[in-house]
Amino acid sequence: MPPKKKTTPAINLIAGGTAGLCEALCCHPLDTIKVRMQLSTRTALPGVRKMGFFATGVNIARKESVFGLYKGLGAVITGIVPKMAIRFSSFEFFKNALADKTTNKTTPTSIFFAGTAAGTAEAILVVTPTDVIKIRLQAQHHSMADPLDVPKYRNAAHAAFTIVREEGISALYRGVILTSLRQATNQAVNFTAYTEIKAYLQSIQPQYKELPSYQHMVIGLISGALGPLSNAPIDTIKTRMQKELAIEGESAFGRVSRISKHLMQREGFFAFYKGITPRVMRVAPGQAVTFAVYEQVSRSLEQVPLLNGNSVLTAED
């Protein structure tokens, strides 16, 4: 792929943060439903039918109010700006590092590995601790409409303080390896699919200097759906691990083995895919929103002299 100008860190921060904020506000209820489905052990009880996607959402809204679907949103919003800044900045950095040294062109393989590195970076620096906090908040079954129903974790800041005080700061990094695997595969597939589909569409539509926003959304929708389908078992095990308290003397590998064995023996193979429907429904439109907003905001920011730069994902990619 031909070379292009680098995106400035300022554009990555502002455009990425704005895109991430819009994505979180639109799609967080689906993430809460996904987490509840992954934590559910109903299928392990004889004669009890599992609760599906819509039933889980209705149950949360009925018992905990509609605001219950937004539990953990504070943790997501707190981490969304640095996460998106790290994602797009590190992707650009690694893509340039992996480009051909003679022609400075990139290939689908270099895009894939740049996405892998970007996903790993965001997982270690931001996603793991915010996921731990978010899942602890989402796992609480209190009613947000009843001021007398006080949960253990009142908000994201209180949850972080309580977890560190009771379990140590390392608890915020519980499941970091699985989170890194999930984010790495997500972003590898996400960026590769997005750039290749976008390049193809622009090659058959030369009348467009830049694709319309609705096409960015469609491409993001497709690329966003592929990641969750490739790593659902990793996400389910990670969610179970981050929700529970640590067992003294148990290693990370031992914890993963115990949770995996429990899922297989007591809930069956398909338990590894619990929450896949809301996860795809959350991640796919989430990526559609993220890429569409990112492209639009970054194009606007490119007109600002102090922030002038090019979009991470251009037609040449």
Side-chain angles (χ1 to χ4, degrees):
M1 297 175 186
K4 66 179 188 63
K5 293 182 181 180
K6 296 181 180 180
T7 307
T8 64
I11 287 182
N12 287 327
L13 175 66
I14 300 171
T18 302
L21 179 61
C22 292
E23 183 260 357
L25 293 174
C26 292
C27 304
H28 189 75
L30 295 170
D31 188 69
T32 299
I33 295 172
K34 179 213 74 169
V35 168
R36 288 293 180 86
M37 291 180 72
Q38 290 178 329
L39 295 177
S40 173
T41 57
R42 287 173 61 91
T43 52
L45 302 175
V48 179
R49 294 180 59 187
K50 69 176 183 178
M51 191 174 292
F53 165 64
F54 289 106
T56 300
V58 170
N59 187 60
I60 294 172
R62 186 178 69 248
K63 293 184 177 180
E64 305 168 43
S65 85
V66 173
F67 295 109
L69 293 167
Y70 286 89
K71 287 179 177 177
L73 179 61
V76 174
I77 291 178
T78 300
I80 204 72
V81 172
K83 181 179 83 169
M84 288 301 180
I86 290 168
R87 174 180 298 179
F88 286 103
S89 297
S90 58
F91 172 76
E92 178 75 6
F93 172 81
F94 288 114
K95 188 175 77 167
N96 289 330
L98 294 170
D100 186 276
K101 302 305 179 185
T102 304
T103 63
N104 203 32
K105 294 181 179 180
T106 55
T107 65
T109 301
S110 64
I111 294 293
F112 182 88
F113 284 110
T116 299
T120 302
E122 70 179 23
I124 295 172
L125 297 174
V126 178
V127 178
T128 301
T130 57
D131 259 15
V132 171
I133 297 168
K134 174 182 70 70
I135 288 169
R136 294 291 181 93
L137 290 165
Q138 290 174 321
Q140 298 182 132
H141 290 254
H142 67 290
S143 172
M144 296 189 72
D146 183 0
L148 298 179
D149 190 0
V150 181
K152 178 177 181 178
Y153 306 116
R154 295 193 293 271
N155 51 52
H158 181 255
F161 175 78
T162 303
I163 292 169
V164 171
R165 184 186 62 193
E166 296 182 353
E167 305 170 50
I169 195 168
S170 62
L172 293 176
Y173 281 88
R174 189 167 298 147
V176 64
I177 294 177
L178 291 177
T179 303
S180 297
L181 285 172
R182 184 194 68 177
Q183 295 303 114
T185 52
N186 273 350
Q187 300 316 316
V189 172
N190 197 16
F191 277 114
T192 303
Y194 187 91
T195 54
E196 291 304 304
I197 296 173
K198 180 180 177 182
Y200 171 74
L201 289 179
Q202 292 200 307
S203 70
I204 63 173
Q205 301 176 102
Q207 69 273 26
Y208 290 126
K209 182 178 179 181
E210 180 59 56
L211 294 178
S213 293
Y214 81 89
Q215 292 192 23
H216 287 301
M217 292 191 72
V218 172
I219 303 170
L221 188 74
I222 295 171
S223 64
L226 297 177
L229 294 173
S230 68
N231 57 28
I234 294 174
D235 189 59
T236 299
I237 296 170
K238 177 200 74 70
T239 299
R240 294 281 180 106
M241 179 184 292
Q242 292 178 326
K243 188 261 182 182
E244 67 179 23
L245 300 177
I247 299 176
E248 188 175 352
E250 184 179 47
S251 66
F253 178 78
R255 193 176 301 121
V256 171
S257 298
R258 172 176 55 80
I259 293 173
S260 301
K261 184 177 180 180
H262 179 277
L263 281 167
M264 179 63 76
Q265 291 183 345
R266 302 189 64 178
E267 302 177 49
F269 172 77
F270 290 105
F272 288 100
Y273 288 85
K274 281 185 172 181
I276 186 63
T277 300
R279 188 175 174 221
V280 170
M281 291 181 67
R282 185 237 185 278
V283 175
Q287 290 306 304
V289 172
T290 296
F291 279 118
V293 173
Y294 180 86
E295 296 278 6
Q296 184 62 46
V297 174
S298 62
R299 285 201 300 270
S300 299
L301 293 177
E302 285 167 6
Q303 308 307 313
V304 180
L306 292 177
L307 302 175
N308 189 34
N310 291 317
S311 172
V312 169
L313 302 168
T314 64
E316 289 77 19
D317 286 338

